[in-house]
Amino acid sequence: MKQVTRETMEAQKYADSIQLPDTEQVFRNIKNAKRFAIDIGGSLTKIAYYSTVSYRKVLYNAEKDGAAVTDAGDYQYESSEIERLHFVKFETKYIEHWLDFIRNHLMCTKESMMGKSIKATGGGAYKFAELIQQKLGLVVEKEDEIGSLIKGCNFLLRNIPDEQFSYSRHEDPEYRFINHEPNIFPYLLVNIGSGVSIMKVEADDKYERIGGTSMGGGTFWGLGSLLTKAKGFDELLQLASAGDHRNVDLLVKDIYGGDYSALGLTGATIASSFGKAMHHGQSKGDGPGFSEADLARSLLFTVSNDIGQIASLYAMLHGLKKVYFGGYFLRNHPVSMHTISFAINYWSRGAVQALFLRHEGYLGAIGAFLMGAEECGKKKILNLYWFIHVIYVYPPTY
Ligand code: ADP
């Protein structure tokens, strides 16, 4: 296991969402992209694309071995091209804008794309197939959403170093990265996107969607937009980080005056989410006693706690010990990961482990990408072993 500081992870977490005017920057490597896949969800569209990137490696000058290097002339360089998988996401409501941008700035001509295809997954692969074909001239090859998610997840678990980790706020280190295991199965995959899908995965080709809940990332974003003035998901998450849920939630100690020891419930346990807001608007004079930030945090707890409990129950029902979380909702955010880990541990009495993924938001796009790559038999991309050597997966850019 490798220790990673909070700072390392924090670097990933609050980066701005992609702004539309930054399209040149976002697609900086796309001009020489060789293959694309797109996952069009209810909230976000995720693109995985593969391109080569030139880089220069500094080699130490053998003649001066051991001596201090004084200027650039003392170095030797090795230039090479490496192949990488890049990721981009944008809000699905802007899909027309993005397709126009790609057509106008990144494609040679629409005619040159005629007859070529793109792998697409997610509900939008169906909803927007005609639009994509009409704007880009590409044939949309639809791939099943669940199959793509699982393929992407299996690939990451097998091939990408430091992909999976557990999170424990009160331990040092908080993040524990888990090494590859020869056998990744069986596991439960809980994909928290706009809604939540829960899959039992027993082998590459043996999986089933065994459950789900409509209370997911879309609920947090939607209700959060109703309850606060936050502009967008990132602001909502920032509010939640700053808030204090105890001003909004009714705790065990608010009812019992302390712990409920007979049931092993501490006074700090949430008895009723948003319970303290029940008399909101009825009393005149003093303010509500909670802020927008408190509301956002309480909402994040409500959604994460429930998903954690449901995931834990499904895992125990099916005798599974590992639960992986995918989808764009978590964002590797400590508050959500802590709540989910706590709920899983509490309800399973430590029998089930919550595990998170660095590329959690891109499982479907990676899976669809791999399906396209595998079909390209001529280039022997079918050979996954070869694939491992040529693709390095970038840390996601949020
Ligand atoms: P879907 O495929 O249903 O769009 P995703 O896995 O892409 O699902 O997750 C979408 C959810 O991710 C949103 O509903 C929201 O809760 C969360 N999210 C995280 N970051 C952002 C962001 N920058 N913009 C919008 N939603 C975000």
Side-chain angles (χ1 to χ4, degrees):
M1 283 185 193
K2 185 175 163 188
Q3 294 198 5
V4 169
T5 61
R6 177 180 269 249
E7 286 69 33
T8 332
M9 292 303 289
E10 298 238 331
Q12 292 188 359
K13 101 183 161 184
Y14 287 134
D16 285 340
S17 57
I18 291 161
Q19 302 288 309
L20 290 175
D22 288 344
T23 36
E24 289 284 359
Q25 172 65 11
V26 169
F27 279 134
R28 61 196 176 281
N29 293 303
I30 217 165
K31 285 196 169 135
N32 52 351
K34 295 187 166 60
R35 181 178 297 280
F36 293 84
I38 189 163
D39 173 5
I40 313 174
S43 307
L44 298 174
T45 295
K46 285 78 55 180
I47 298 179
Y49 67 94
Y50 155 66
S51 75
T52 49
V53 179
S54 307
Y55 86 113
R56 217 161 60 141
K57 187 173 154 195
V58 179
L59 300 173
Y60 196 66
N61 187 338
E63 285 171 22
K64 298 204 169 227
D65 197 23
V69 175
T70 52
D71 60 46
D74 290 335
Y75 290 103
Q76 289 175 346
Y77 296 97
E78 184 185 80
S79 297
S80 47
E81 295 239 300
I82 48 170
E83 292 162 299
R84 290 181 181 264
L85 194 58
H86 304 270
F87 302 107
V88 176
K89 68 107 177 53
F90 55 84
E91 282 184 38
T92 301
K93 70 175 178 183
Y94 297 122
I95 192 157
E96 260 196 270
H97 171 102
W98 282 83
L99 292 175
D100 285 340
F101 178 86
I102 292 171
R103 185 188 55 205
N104 297 336
H105 295 85
L106 303 168
M107 283 172 42
C108 317
T109 57
K110 190 170 154 185
E111 288 64 40
S112 70
M113 305 305 281
M114 285 298 180
K116 293 197 176 156
S117 60
I118 183 169
K119 285 284 179 200
T121 187
Y126 296 83
K127 188 172 170 188
F128 298 112
E130 255 179 51
L131 186 73
I132 296 173
Q133 180 141 20
Q134 179 201 326
K135 296 237 179 223
L136 305 183
L138 290 169
V139 175
V140 175
E141 290 180 3
K142 302 176 192 85
E143 290 294 346
D144 173 61
E145 183 175 351
I146 303 297
S148 301
L149 283 171
I150 288 164
K151 194 169 186 67
C153 187
N154 291 343
F155 173 80
L156 292 172
L157 292 179
R158 287 194 176 114
N159 303 312
I160 305 304
D162 297 334
E163 179 63 34
Q164 48 170 314
F165 60 93
S166 62
Y167 179 77
S168 184
R169 192 169 67 190
H170 302 300
E171 281 178 25
D172 185 17
E174 290 167 64
Y175 301 86
R176 285 175 192 267
F177 284 77
I178 316 256
N179 293 328
H180 300 314
E181 288 164 20
N183 185 11
I184 59 174
F185 305 115
Y187 66 82
L188 192 76
L189 176 61
V190 178
N191 197 64
I192 317 176
S194 311
V196 181
S197 280
I198 301 180
M199 281 79 58
K200 175 181 180 180
V201 188
E202 294 177 276
D204 283 298
D205 53 3
K206 191 168 179 218
Y207 50 81
E208 192 188 346
R209 185 181 190 272
I210 55 173
T213 163
S214 61
M215 196 161 80
T219 315
F220 175 67
W221 195 7
L223 277 180
S225 303
L226 291 174
L227 292 172
T228 73
K229 292 186 202 66
K231 289 186 200 68
F233 185 89
D234 284 23
E235 265 188 48
L236 204 51
L237 210 52
Q238 273 170 7
L239 270 182
S241 304
D244 186 344
H245 77 103
R246 293 169 298 186
N247 297 328
V248 184
D249 293 340
L250 197 64
L251 309 180
V252 166
K253 72 174 174 207
D254 296 319
I255 304 170
Y256 278 78
D259 297 346
Y260 181 3
S261 309
L263 283 191
L265 297 173
T266 68
T269 307
I270 300 171
S272 170
S273 297
F274 288 87
K276 281 195 183 127
M278 61 175 91
H279 302 300
H280 176 54
Q282 290 176 10
S283 60
K284 296 196 177 98
D286 293 343
F290 48 79
S291 65
E292 287 198 352
D294 300 338
L295 288 169
R297 194 173 182 96
S298 174
L299 186 58
L300 190 58
F301 277 163
T302 306
V303 173
S304 309
N305 252 325
D306 258 39
I307 294 172
Q309 178 169 184
I310 292 169
S312 175
L313 292 175
Y314 270 110
M316 288 192 294
L317 195 63
H318 290 267
L320 301 168
K321 292 195 167 62
K322 289 182 295 186
V323 181
Y324 290 104
F325 288 90
Y328 223 101
F329 166 71
L330 283 181
R331 298 274 298 268
N332 291 171
H333 193 279
V335 173
S336 325
M337 291 194 301
H338 168 72
T339 312
I340 282 184
S341 298
F342 183 87
I344 294 233
N345 192 46
Y346 181 85
W347 292 109
S348 73
R349 294 171 205 262
V352 178
Q353 190 182 20
L355 292 162
F356 304 97
L357 301 164
R358 279 196 307 139
H359 297 85
E360 56 190 4
Y362 292 96
L363 303 186
I366 293 173
F369 173 87
L370 291 169
M371 287 171 187
E374 284 180 6
E375 282 170 17
C376 184
K378 274 180 259 148
K379 293 181 184 156
K380 300 221 182 312
I381 291 179
L382 262 176
N383 183 343
L384 198 61
Y385 184 71
W386 178 85
F387 211 58
I388 298 163
H389 288 276
V390 296
I391 289 190
Y392 174 81
V393 180
Y394 258 171
T397 47
Y398 289 118

